[in-house]
Amino acid sequence: MSSSREIEEGTGLALKFDANGLITCVTTDATSGEVLMVAHMNDEAFRRTVETGDAWYYSRSRQQLWRKGETSGHTQRVREVRIDCDQDAIVIKVEQVGPACHTNRRSCFYRAIPLGQTGTITLKMD
Amino acid sequence: MSSSREIEEGTGLALKFDANGLITCVTTDATSGEVLMVAHMNDEAFRRTVETGDAWYYSRSRQQLWRKGETSGHTQRVREVRIDCDQDAIVIKVEQVGPACHTNRRSCFYRAIPLGQTGTITLKMD
């Protein structure tokens, strides 16, 4: 068991998986910095991503490992992997081929939530 | 229960919380686009954030609602809130006062994981 200090200040990997064995992955566009999607990785997806430079995820709905773009062709070539202080989230910066979102939009975050709302909150399509 | 199409293409809020009643929040710097931190919100934290424009989270370790900076002074003024296709993750773009990370670094993602590694993976401090 690593100490909190080792986890935060060390250079040893000590991924903190959730109860389902997953960590959160934020995927950003390596050029613009835009957040493209948020997905999950298990240990195998993480290792394949670091080893190969292709983005691999774990699909919670399909319960399987998944190389981004393997069916759609919308692959992600990873330029950089970063990890946060407590090692339970990573950011990958990618070169995205085509849209990242399954709705065929560049990013999954295509709707804004205007500030100042109370009660019934509505979204705004860009 | 909203249909998948309504959730993805509609303008109605239909947050998909996890088993603990939380959604993932990615917080980025409104100016640079840099990912500052990844945290969680429950329904109340989300609503307070949208209503007030201050970033509120839910601390899983302390099991309580938490306004960013309430003790440290390192507040986040929210400029934009965005939500993803299946409504289980949000991005907030903020004006960060001081460091976002409790380690006093600007971002929680202060370590890189060099690509191409197999076996024992090590991190690299920036």
Side-chain angles (χ1 to χ4, degrees), chain B residues 8-41:
Chain B
E8 293 182 353
E9 301 297 332
T11 55
L13 183 70
L15 287 176
K16 191 162 99 189
F17 295 103
D18 69 13
N20 300 118
L22 303 175
I23 54 168
T24 299
C25 175
V26 179
T27 306
T28 69
D29 183 298
T31 305
S32 69
E34 181 187 17
V35 177
L36 298 174
M37 54 186 279
V38 172
H40 294 83
M41 290 181 175

Side-chain angles (χ1 to χ4, degrees), chain A residues 16-24 40-41 60 88, chain B residues 18 60:
Chain A
K16 190 162 98 188
F17 295 103
D18 69 12
N20 300 119
L22 303 175
I23 52 170
T24 299
H40 294 84
M41 290 181 175
R60 293 180 297 176
D88 67 353
Chain B
D18 69 13
R60 293 180 298 176

Side-chain angles (χ1 to χ4, degrees), chain B residues 55-125:
Chain B
W56 284 80
Y57 300 100
Y58 183 83
S59 167
R60 293 180 298 176
S61 54
R62 288 178 285 131
Q63 297 196 307
Q64 66 180 28
L65 217 60
W66 153 59
R67 182 173 63 78
K68 176 71 177 167
E70 65 189 354
T71 55
S72 67
H74 301 149
T75 53
Q76 294 175 338
R77 191 69 196 152
V78 180
R79 288 297 162 215
E80 191 175 3
V81 180
R82 305 191 69 80
I83 192 163
D84 73 345
C85 45
D86 58 358
Q87 300 203 28
D88 67 353
I90 73 164
V91 166
I92 62 174
K93 302 181 182 181
V94 306
E95 288 173 13
Q96 173 70 53
V97 174
C101 185
H102 75 286
T103 68
N104 277 324
R105 294 176 175 94
R106 175 84 185 151
S107 160
C108 294
F109 293 87
Y110 49 85
R111 287 171 296 185
I113 302 176
L115 290 165
Q117 297 185 75
T118 57
T120 302
I121 290 174
T122 57
L123 320 181
K124 186 172 165 289
M125 193 78 71

Side-chain angles (χ1 to χ4, degrees), chain A residues 27-110:
Chain A
T27 306
T28 68
D29 183 298
T31 305
S32 69
E34 180 186 18
V35 176
L36 298 174
M37 54 187 278
V38 172
H40 294 84
M41 290 181 175
N42 62 4
D43 187 62
E44 181 68 19
F46 170 78
R47 290 183 173 278
R48 288 193 190 192
T49 300
V50 171
E51 178 175 352
T52 66
D54 289 321
W56 284 81
Y57 301 100
Y58 183 81
S59 167
R60 293 180 297 176
S61 53
R62 289 178 283 130
Q63 298 198 308
Q64 66 179 28
L65 217 59
W66 154 57
R67 182 173 64 78
K68 176 70 177 166
E70 66 189 353
T71 54
S72 66
H74 302 149
T75 54
Q76 294 175 337
R77 191 68 194 153
V78 180
R79 288 299 163 213
E80 191 176 3
V81 181
R82 304 191 69 82
I83 191 163
D84 74 345
C85 44
D86 58 356
Q87 300 204 28
D88 67 353
I90 72 164
V91 165
I92 62 175
K93 302 180 181 181
V94 307
E95 289 174 13
Q96 173 70 54
V97 175
C101 185
H102 75 287
T103 67
N104 276 324
R105 294 176 175 95
R106 175 83 186 156
S107 160
C108 294
F109 293 87
Y110 49 85

